[in-house]
Amino acid sequence: MGKLTTHVLDTAHGRPGAGVKVALYAVEGGARQLIREDVTNADGRCATPLLEGDTLRPGRYELAFGAGDYFAALGVDLPSPRFIDTVTIAFGIAHADQNYHVPLVVSPWSYSTYRGS
């Protein structure tokens, strides 16, 4: 059985993004349904997979990361409004028997993602 995991890497400070709020949504027909909320640990990861086993189903999803609040809590001098605030990554799961790792690599000025293993 597959699983969905994530982690946050803070490239501005060269460390894991600890304490970042993460929300997972299922997206169907244009509507978002909140599945789970979590906060990253000291390693920048959620302690358990966001989805696994029977809860991992093919479909469209979104991960929303509270990056702006994370950088503000660190005391980073951010403009108002923030350039990077809530980072939303829209992605699809095609095969429930595979692992999907969707990390966020972020600074106050940029972000990227990729499908990891």
Side-chain angles (χ1 to χ4, degrees):
M1 296 296 252
K3 63 185 175 185
L4 171 64
T5 56
T6 190
H7 75 275
V8 178
L9 299 170
D10 173 351
T11 58
H13 298 96
R15 62 184 183 205
V20 178
K21 293 179 184 177
V22 179
L24 173 65
Y25 298 89
V27 180
E28 188 172 334
R32 292 184 354 162
Q33 178 183 358
L34 180 64
I35 296 175
R36 178 177 170 180
E37 293 179 305
D38 208 335
V39 176
T40 58
N41 61 21
D43 195 33
R45 300 174 185 276
C46 295
T48 60
L50 297 170
L51 296 172
E52 65 181 330
D54 292 341
T55 64
L56 182 68
R57 298 185 181 114
R60 295 180 54 226
Y61 295 88
E62 291 183 358
L63 278 169
F65 298 87
D69 289 344
Y70 163 78
F71 286 114
L74 291 178
V76 175
D77 185 20
L78 301 171
S80 181
R82 299 169 181 163
F83 183 73
I84 299 292
D85 197 13
T86 301
V87 175
T88 302
I89 299 171
F91 63 98
I93 292 178
H95 304 284
D97 61 339
Q98 295 181 7
N99 292 337
Y100 288 80
H101 183 67
V102 183
L104 175 66
V105 181
V106 67
S107 82
W109 311 108
S110 67
Y111 66 90
S112 67
T113 192
Y114 56 92
R115 180 180 173 188
S117 57

